[in-house]
């Protein structure tokens, strides 16, 4: 008897008021095979297989994401994704040709694209939602382009212009946009993360970046004062000095990458906790996310290092490790008898097959 | 009674579009598949050819969709595989069988690394050469005229050099252009005020050269030095460096986009940045090639092949305040360049 059937036995007997955690049933060894075959076939087919590779990867990760003993499902077909990719690819070639031939016209097209992106993102989100199902019922996404423009263009631009001070506002917009427009079997999700809570989780990251920049500034200052006497005489710029300046430049570059990477991971985990925990399904079932920000950051950073050191070969292990951790810290609390809830959920007719009108967009995942 | 049919697998059945599920069994009845609940009542059936069986991925539950839209789901993958094999449809599982954790995956890893290296080392440069070869001459022309227009509108100003000086530079320039592979009429020299660009000379892919007043000032009375720099720029044009650079960058970006797949966002950033560093090293080798071209062209024209070396010396002297950024730039270190030029010039002198 497979474990999956055993787990099914707890179905319908959820502890009243208790949170049901998600789990991840995949394994690194199993995914390794899928991953390497995906890469190999993608190379052999000059990239064409990459669309089918994505389908297999997502079917693996969705299918092993288990809630109440049942996995999620990913229904996209390789052909659909290939068409979307070809369109994006053709656009990129067109854009680059125009940019080399007429630099100024290229700028205009780039600006147009800027307004076109929200529309694409909306279509992409809708596609992703509609090709995802749980217990034979599909998700749907009903967001409009205007909301996407606010959440994915205005928000990030504001956050960048204010050096991250308004980043929580942007996070709130994007989570609200996704969370309030997601549907499952005609029933809505709703989310309203409070700005204050996001700012509270933003503070440590802001402090991290400030401290990091301060340390980097001190290192640069020390080095410049040490090198200044050597700079007076150009003939004295020896190869050693050149080399040490080179090493220093690389070191500072890596340091900046590390500081901003760590701070943004820390922030991402915190915001996810706030936003998911402020989300309900059908007005009464509560969602929960309780990632430890330290643990999440540690897993992401060590995954990255291990992947690099093993030239990518440990990537499958890293991906499974992260999926396992995130799933185990995501939960739903159902109000009432789970069996009854799920025997009443019917699929929205329009959501089925309608994804053929959409093209696969940018990945957001749920 | 239908339930006497051989059972293929146990699982759960959903009516079309509903999350309600019923424990059930899948059975085979001739050329049809049927689903019965535990009491033996038939829930759905369909011709084998009309029933959709999802391809296997790892141990993820199999979905069997009937023509009426209802769904039978089972985690007994092995049973479904056996059934398909019996029906002569075993080939459908070939991808999954390749993916199984097995020593042959080591061969797959080796093949992926080998093929990836081959593509980067051989296929990419070959593709770049093909792209350069098939690029119609009109493309560099349009590129150049539009780039010059954009530069003129933004940073460059009208030249303020006096006629005599300009004439001396032009005369030297025509003399070396006549000895270039493409001939004199393929190159035009434009004088501009550099403004923010400062002392500089650069070539556009169609043979349009731009020389800033600041560089002429920097050279003082040493016109030969300027001619040496222009010979270097002619080298860039003749070797089609800028086109190659564009195609190479596009090729590397496409490779990362297409082949990388799932490597994690951090590792993807590193790859892209690494690609940028690699293109820096490419442009360093391009600079060295253009230096060699300058020496050869100058000695062909019977001028001083070491002139460009004097220019580098001058840069080292005059631009000492140029901070360390120039060390990590697209150009090789000036002292080593000077040495390479002097060596090559000596070599050329030795063979009359």
């Amino acid at each position: 008897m497979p474990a999956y059937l055993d787990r099914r036995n707890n179905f319908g007997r959820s502890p009243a008021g208790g949170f049901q955690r998600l789990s991840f049933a995949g394994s690194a060894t199993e995914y390794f095979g899928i991953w390497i075959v995906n890469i190999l076939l993608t190379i052999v087919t000059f990239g064409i297989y990459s669309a089918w590779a994505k389908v297999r990867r997502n079917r693996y990760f969705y299918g092993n994401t288990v809630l109440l003993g049942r996995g999620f499902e990913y229904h996209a077909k390789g052909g659909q994704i290939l068409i979307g990719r070809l369109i994006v690819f053709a656009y990129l070639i067109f854009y680059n040709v125009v940019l080399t031939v007429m630099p100024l016209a290229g700028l205009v097209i780039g600006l147009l694209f800027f307004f076109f992106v929200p529309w694409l993102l909306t279509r992409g989100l809708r596609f992703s939602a509609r090709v995802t199902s749980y217990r034979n019922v599909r998700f749907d996404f009903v967001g409009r382009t205007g909301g996407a423009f606010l959440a994915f263009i205005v928000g990030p631009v504001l956050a960048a212009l204010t050096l991250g001070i308004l980043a929580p506002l942007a996070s709130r917009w994007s989570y609200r946009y996704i969370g309030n427009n997601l549907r499952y079997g005609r029933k809505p999700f709703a989310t309203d993360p409070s700005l204050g809570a996001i700012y509270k989780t933003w503070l440590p990251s802001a402090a991290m970046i400030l401290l990091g920049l301060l340390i980097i500034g001190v290192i640069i200052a020390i080095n410049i004062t040490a090198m200044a006497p050597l700079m007076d005489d150009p003939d004295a710029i020896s190869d050693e000095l050149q080399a040490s300046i080179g090493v220093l430049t690389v070191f500072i570059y890596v340091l900046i990458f590390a500081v901003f990477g760590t701070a943004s991971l820390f922030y991402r985990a915190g915001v996810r906790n706030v936003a998911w925990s402020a989300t309900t399904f059908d007005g009464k079932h509560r969602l929960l996310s309780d990632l430890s920000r330290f643990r999440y950051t540690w897993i992401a950073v060590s995954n990255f290092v291990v992947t690099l050191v093993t030239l990518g070969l440990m990537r499958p292990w890293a991906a499974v490790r992260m999926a396992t951790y995130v799933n185990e810290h995501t939960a739903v609390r159902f109000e009432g008898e789970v069996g009854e809830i799920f025997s009443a959920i019917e699929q929205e007719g329009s959501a089925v097959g309608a994804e053929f009108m959409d093209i696969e967009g940018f990945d957001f995942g749920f | 009674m239908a339930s006497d049919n051989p059972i293929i697998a146990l699982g759960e059945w959903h009516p079309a579009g509903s999350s309600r599920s019923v424990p059930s069994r899948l059975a085979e009845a001739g050329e049809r598949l049927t689903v019965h609940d535990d009491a033996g009542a038939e829930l759905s059936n369909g011709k084998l050819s009309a029933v959709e069986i999802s391809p296997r991925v790892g141990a993820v539950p199999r979905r069997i969709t009937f023509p009426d839209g209802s769904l039978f789901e089972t985690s007994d993958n092995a049973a479904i595989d056996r059934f398909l094999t019996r029906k002569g449809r075993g080939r459908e599982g070939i991808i999954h069988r390749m993916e199984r954790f097995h020593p042959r995956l080591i061969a797959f890893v080796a093949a992926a690394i080998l093929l990836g290296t081959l593509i980067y080392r051989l296929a990419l440069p070959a593709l770049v050469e093909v792209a350069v070869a098939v690029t119609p001459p009109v493309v560099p022309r349009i590129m150049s005229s539009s780039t010059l227009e954009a530069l003129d509108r933004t940073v460059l100003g009208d030249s303020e050099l006096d006629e005599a000086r300009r004439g001396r530079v032009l005369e030297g320039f025509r003399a070396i252009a006549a000895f270039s592979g493409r001939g004199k009429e393929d190159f035009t020299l434009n004088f501009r005020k550099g403004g923010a660009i400062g002392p500089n000379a650069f070539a556009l892919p169609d043979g349009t050269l731009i020389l800033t007043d600041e560089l002429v000032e920097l050279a003082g009375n040493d016109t030969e030095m300027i001619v040496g720099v222009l010979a270097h720029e002619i080298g860039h044009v003749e070797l089609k460096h800028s086109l190659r650079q564009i195609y190479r960058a596009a090729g590397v970006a496409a490779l990362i986009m297409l082949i990388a797949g799932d490597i994690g966002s951090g590792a993807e950033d590193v790859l892209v940045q690494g690609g940028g560093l690699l293109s820096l090293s490419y442009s360093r080798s391009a600079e060295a090639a253009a230096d060699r071209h300058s020496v050869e062209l100058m000695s062909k024209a019977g001028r001083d092949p070491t002139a460009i070396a004097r220019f580098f010396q001058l840069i080292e002297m005059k631009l000492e305040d140029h901070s360390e950024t120039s060390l990590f730039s697209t150009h090789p270190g000036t002292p080593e360049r000077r040495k390479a030029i002097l060596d090559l010039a000596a070599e050329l002198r030795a063979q009359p």
Side-chain angles (χ1 to χ4, degrees):
Chain A
M1 166 110 357
Y4 152 80
L5 282 183
D6 287 347
R7 273 203 307 272
R8 203 179 58 195
N9 297 339
N10 69 16
F11 188 76
R13 288 192 284 114
S14 77
F19 274 100
Q20 298 281 353
R21 286 186 181 272
L22 272 68
S23 62
F24 188 71
S27 75
T29 49
E30 204 177 32
Y31 179 49
F32 182 85
I34 293 170
W35 178 83
I36 190 70
V37 170
N38 275 349
I39 289 179
L40 191 61
L41 291 180
T42 299
I43 293 177
V44 171
T45 58
F46 302 106
I48 292 170
Y49 186 79
S50 69
W52 282 266
K54 179 176 176 162
V55 169
R56 287 190 78 79
R57 181 171 69 240
N58 278 347
R59 282 196 60 206
Y60 187 78
F61 278 90
Y62 285 44
N64 284 308
T65 294
V66 176
L67 171 66
L68 297 166
R70 301 295 293 267
F72 286 73
E73 263 288 343
Y74 183 75
H75 299 265
K77 298 273 183 285
Q80 285 171 293
I81 290 180
L82 185 67
I83 290 169
R85 291 194 168 186
L86 287 176
I87 290 172
V88 171
F89 204 68
Y91 169 80
L92 283 176
I93 288 176
F94 166 76
Y95 177 66
N96 278 302
V97 166
V98 170
L99 199 62
T100 41
V101 174
M102 297 177 282
L104 298 173
L107 284 178
V108 174
I109 296 186
L111 270 179
L112 272 181
F113 189 64
F114 200 65
F115 289 97
F116 189 55
V117 161
W119 182 81
L120 267 185
L121 282 170
T122 309
R123 303 290 293 234
L125 281 168
R126 194 167 71 181
F127 178 86
S128 302
R130 287 179 173 182
V131 296
T132 304
S133 75
Y134 175 69
R135 296 183 57 89
N136 197 32
V137 171
R138 301 229 181 179
F139 286 81
D140 193 8
F141 184 79
V142 296
R144 306 296 276 270
T145 306
F149 183 74
L150 187 70
F152 302 122
I153 303 284
V154 179
V157 167
L158 262 186
L161 287 181
T162 58
L163 300 178
I165 291 168
L166 288 185
L169 196 64
S171 304
R172 182 165 181 263
W173 286 344
S174 57
Y175 267 107
R176 278 179 49 96
Y177 176 67
I178 293 176
N180 290 326
N181 289 307
L182 194 60
R183 302 281 180 273
Y184 172 73
R186 297 182 196 162
K187 294 190 168 60
F189 285 80
T191 185
D192 195 6
S194 87
L195 203 53
I198 302 179
Y199 263 106
K200 220 167 88 181
T201 194
W202 167 88
L203 272 178
S205 295
M208 250 185 251
I209 287 178
L210 277 180
L211 192 69
L213 290 180
L214 200 70
I215 292 170
I216 291 167
V218 167
I219 292 174
I220 293 175
I222 289 173
N223 277 286
I224 283 180
T225 45
M227 286 176 186
L230 301 173
M231 291 282 192
D232 290 343
D233 181 7
D235 292 338
I237 300 187
S238 60
D239 292 350
E240 290 85 24
L241 182 63
Q242 275 204 32
S244 69
I245 291 174
V247 169
L248 180 73
T249 312
V250 171
F251 177 69
I252 285 173
Y253 191 80
V254 170
L255 213 57
I256 289 175
F257 185 77
V259 167
F260 278 86
T262 314
S264 68
L265 284 165
F266 209 78
Y267 174 69
R268 196 185 307 167
V271 173
R272 184 182 193 270
N273 286 344
V274 170
W276 280 64
S277 303
T279 304
T280 57
F281 168 62
D282 197 13
K284 50 186 182 287
H285 314 295
R286 292 215 17 233
L287 271 61
L288 168 81
S289 166
D290 58 356
L291 298 166
S292 149
R293 284 177 293 168
F294 287 99
R295 183 106 189 97
Y296 175 87
T297 306
W298 160 246
I299 290 177
V301 169
S302 54
N303 273 353
F304 167 70
V305 171
V306 168
T307 301
L308 272 198
V309 167
T310 58
L311 302 178
L313 287 181
M314 285 292 270
R315 169 65 199 168
W317 169 84
V320 166
R321 181 177 172 224
M322 185 49 108
T324 306
Y325 181 74
V326 170
N327 283 2
E328 282 169 359
H329 290 84
T330 307
V332 190
R333 188 176 66 196
F334 290 101
E335 296 296 332
E337 192 62 35
V338 175
E340 277 170 36
I341 293 167
F342 279 105
S343 63
I345 290 181
E346 293 281 327
Q347 183 158 282
E348 187 101 51
S350 68
V352 191
E355 84 266 5
F356 292 103
M357 303 296 295
D358 287 307
I359 53 167
E360 177 240 5
F362 301 81
D363 276 333
F364 271 102
F366 287 118
Chain B
M1 187 159 155
S3 55
D4 295 341
N5 293 320
I7 288 176
I8 301 169
L10 301 174
E12 296 266 340
W13 178 83
H14 288 278
S18 163
S19 66
R20 188 167 64 85
S21 68
V22 182
S24 59
R25 53 199 65 179
L26 178 74
E28 192 181 349
E31 279 308 296
R32 300 180 83 75
L33 284 176
T34 60
V35 180
H36 296 268
D37 64 12
D38 290 345
E42 183 172 287
L43 300 167
S44 180
N45 77 78
K47 278 223 297 287
L48 182 55
S49 56
V51 169
E52 192 193 341
I53 301 175
S54 68
R56 181 168 180 181
V57 178
V60 167
R62 264 318 217 306
R63 302 166 54 84
I64 294 160
T65 315
F66 285 87
D68 62 2
S70 68
L71 169 80
F72 175 81
E73 199 179 56
T74 177
S75 58
D76 196 350
N77 272 299
I80 303 294
D81 286 344
R82 279 196 302 274
F83 167 73
L84 286 174
T85 310
R86 209 170 59 236
K87 288 286 171 198
R89 287 168 56 178
R91 281 185 43 238
E92 288 173 22
I94 183 141
I95 301 264
H96 169 72
R97 283 199 294 280
M98 281 167 75
E99 289 166 349
R100 293 270 270 284
F101 201 67
H102 183 278
R104 96 179 132 246
L105 289 184
I106 297 170
F108 286 1
V109 171
I113 292 172
L114 183 73
L115 288 171
T117 315
L118 282 180
I119 287 177
Y120 183 74
R121 276 291 166 80
L122 302 174
L124 183 67
L127 278 175
V128 168
E129 290 310 312
V130 169
V132 168
V134 302
T135 304
V138 67
V139 173
R141 264 208 296 282
I142 297 175
M143 268 167 64
S144 305
S145 61
S146 59
T147 310
L148 185 57
E149 189 188 345
L151 282 169
D152 276 341
R153 283 190 186 181
T154 49
V155 286
L156 296 177
D158 290 337
S159 172
E160 293 159 7
L161 287 179
D162 57 83
E163 282 302 322
R165 222 159 172 198
R166 204 188 294 199
R168 279 200 300 276
V169 174
L170 262 175
E171 181 217 344
F173 167 72
R174 290 207 181 100
I176 53 165
F179 282 91
S180 74
R182 298 167 51 150
K184 196 160 54 181
E185 46 289 329
D186 263 355
F187 293 97
T188 45
L189 179 61
N190 296 284
F191 291 91
R192 291 285 189 278
K193 186 163 176 52
I197 299 180
N200 210 333
F202 47 93
L204 299 173
D206 71 337
T208 305
L209 270 60
I210 296 161
L211 179 66
T212 69
D213 295 357
E214 288 84 344
L215 195 140
V216 181
E217 309 273 331
L218 191 72
N221 290 325
D222 193 344
T223 309
E224 198 71 358
M225 182 195 295
I226 298 173
V227 177
V229 171
L230 293 175
H232 167 102
E233 296 304 332
I234 287 175
H236 278 313
V237 175
E238 289 205 50
L239 300 168
K240 297 188 170 168
H241 282 153
S242 53
L243 264 188
R244 281 206 173 81
Q245 179 87 342
I246 290 169
Y247 285 134
R248 249 189 96 79
V252 170
L255 274 187
I256 293 173
M257 235 173 71
L258 283 176
I259 289 171
D262 171 24
I263 54 166
S265 57
E268 221 159 90
D269 288 346
V270 168
L271 262 191
V272 173
Q273 304 285 357
L277 282 177
L278 285 174
S279 76
L280 276 189
S281 82
Y282 169 78
S283 62
R284 274 202 294 274
S285 71
E287 289 303 325
D291 285 350
R292 282 197 299 278
H293 198 90
S294 167
V295 174
E296 284 161 11
L297 193 56
M298 293 291 275
S299 56
K300 249 194 251 170
R303 303 181 85 98
D304 176 7
T306 61
I308 193 165
R310 286 206 300 281
F311 171 71
F312 290 134
Q313 199 165 10
L314 188 69
I315 285 193
E316 280 176 70
M317 304 281 291
K318 294 236 172 160
L319 304 181
E320 51 176 305
D321 57 336
H322 245 235
S323 53
E324 60 254 43
T325 47
S326 62
L327 301 175
F328 240 76
S329 68
T330 55
H331 290 56
T334 26
E336 63 184 86
R337 276 175 88 174
R338 227 171 60 208
K339 191 176 166 312
I341 288 161
L342 295 175
D343 289 351
L344 183 62
E347 214 173 292
L348 285 174
R349 261 200 305 276
Q351 32 173 280

